[in-house]
Amino acid sequence: MEIINKFKFYFLGFLIIANILAYQIVFEIISQNQLKVYALNVGQGEANLITYKNLNILIDAGPNYKTANLLDRFIPIYNRKLDLVFISHPNSDHYGGISEILKRYQIRALILNGVEEDSQGFKDFLSLVSQNNIPIVYARRGENINFDNLNIFVLWPTNSLPINTKLKTKELNDSSLVLFLDYFDFEALFTGDISSKVENLLISDLPGVDFLQVAHHGSKNSTSLNFLEKTKPLVAVIPVGNNSYGFPTQEVLANLEKINSQIFTTLKDKTIQLIIKDNTLKINKLDL
């Protein structure tokens, strides 16, 4: 009798798990024709997840384990892979989460800006990538990635920045990958930690955008009014946590208010989810 009861218990558990997986699969099939963009609440750092059909793309990995925990919430258990991971530049608050991510996810390709940073943390990061046999691509302006109706264009840096160059710490921010995402009528801009200096170099080529990842956590040295008047983001998300730098600064918040952007910060609003389907944009604040 005890054996039969144990069998019933395990069989019931199997049915529950099977039902959950079946629900997830059906939900994913229903959701295939929508693009989702997440600005993840990872503390004082940055991580953005893009999901479309069976494709998972991560733009920056945050500073620690929090990124992997959030990925688990948005990527179904049967699809634990990241097709592309962009690391905008070698600052630990943008790549530090990779070690925990690799414990749970397969990374199919890593896209870097090709700049070396002389710290043990970055050396450990590259060593971990090598141990996991992850292909590395160094991106430069003019390159683009296409998947069905989803396009990601690299806007920065240019070929004038040599691959494997070493920069001083204060120069790393302006080497950030700048990515432009296009999906039907939805356009998004991911700016890493660039300053207004780089913004001014890009401004003539930029259209208006629906979503802006505000550069450098809301630093006063980025997100100039000129840049915002050209891009006119409907939604602006500032990736920021508790910090001693005064981020986001009042200057940046004032600039965003002047162009009537809908402003979110991951510190206050937590994870922000954008759902784009049938030319409509829905914004959700997730308490995660």
Side-chain angles (χ1 to χ4, degrees), residues 186-244:
F186 175 79
E187 294 171 322
L189 189 60
F190 301 88
T191 56
D193 280 355
I194 62 169
S195 71
S196 296
K197 176 183 175 182
V198 174
E199 291 174 354
N200 289 335
L201 294 173
L202 294 173
I203 199 168
S204 61
D205 298 325
L206 291 174
V209 299
D210 300 286
F211 170 85
L212 173 67
Q213 168 258 305
V214 174
H216 200 190
H217 319 290
S219 163
K220 66 180 181 180
N221 297 318
S222 307
T223 321
S224 68
L225 186 57
N226 285 340
F227 175 76
L228 290 175
E229 287 177 337
K230 181 65 187 294
T231 55
K232 290 185 170 61
L234 298 176
V235 178
V237 177
I238 304 173
V240 65
N242 290 313
N243 66 90
S244 59

Side-chain angles (χ1 to χ4, degrees), residues 18-209:
N19 282 333
I20 291 172
L21 289 174
Y23 171 80
Q24 285 187 324
I25 292 170
V26 170
F27 181 78
E28 287 298 311
I29 292 172
I30 294 172
S31 303
Q32 275 192 351
N33 289 324
Q34 59 188 26
L35 172 72
K36 293 180 181 178
V37 178
Y38 299 86
L40 301 177
N41 173 31
V42 295
Q44 182 54 30
E46 183 177 327
N48 302 279
L49 173 66
I50 298 163
T51 64
Y52 177 59
K53 296 189 175 181
N54 197 42
L55 185 73
N56 302 316
I57 297 172
L58 187 66
I59 300 177
D60 283 323
N64 52 37
Y65 66 91
K66 292 181 180 180
T67 305
N69 288 350
L70 286 170
L71 293 180
D72 290 349
R73 302 295 294 266
F74 305 124
I75 297 176
I77 195 169
Y78 58 83
N79 189 27
R80 288 296 164 88
K81 49 85 180 175
L82 293 165
D83 299 276
L84 296 173
V85 174
F86 293 86
I87 300 297
S88 62
H89 63 298
N91 276 351
S92 61
D93 58 331
H94 293 254
Y95 69 76
I98 285 290
S99 58
E100 185 63 31
I101 290 170
L102 280 172
K103 295 176 184 177
R104 313 182 201 181
Y105 291 84
Q106 174 195 6
I107 296 177
R108 293 187 171 177
L110 184 68
I111 302 180
L112 305 178
N113 70 347
V115 171
E116 295 184 359
E117 200 260 330
D118 194 20
S119 71
Q120 190 58 49
F122 190 64
K123 291 174 183 176
D124 291 344
F125 162 75
L126 292 178
S127 176
L128 191 60
V129 169
S130 176
Q131 290 169 24
N132 284 271
N133 299 310
I134 302 171
I136 295 177
V137 177
Y138 299 112
R140 287 294 179 267
R141 179 181 173 90
E143 297 167 351
N144 73 285
I145 296 161
N146 171 263
F147 183 86
D148 198 6
N149 297 303
L150 178 67
N151 294 280
I152 299 177
F153 299 91
V154 180
L155 303 184
W156 191 264
T158 66
N159 284 318
S160 62
L161 180 65
I163 301 297
N164 296 327
T165 191
K166 287 189 177 181
L167 296 177
K168 297 177 182 177
T169 300
K170 64 181 181 180
E171 299 173 327
L172 290 176
N173 288 342
D174 277 344
S175 72
S176 294
L177 293 174
V178 177
L179 305 172
F180 179 79
L181 181 150
D182 176 75
Y183 176 73
F184 291 107
D185 290 333
F186 175 79
E187 294 171 322
L189 189 60
F190 301 88
T191 56
D193 280 355
I194 62 169
S195 71
S196 296
K197 176 183 175 182
V198 174
E199 291 174 354
N200 289 335
L201 294 173
L202 294 173
I203 199 168
S204 61
D205 298 325
L206 291 174
V209 299

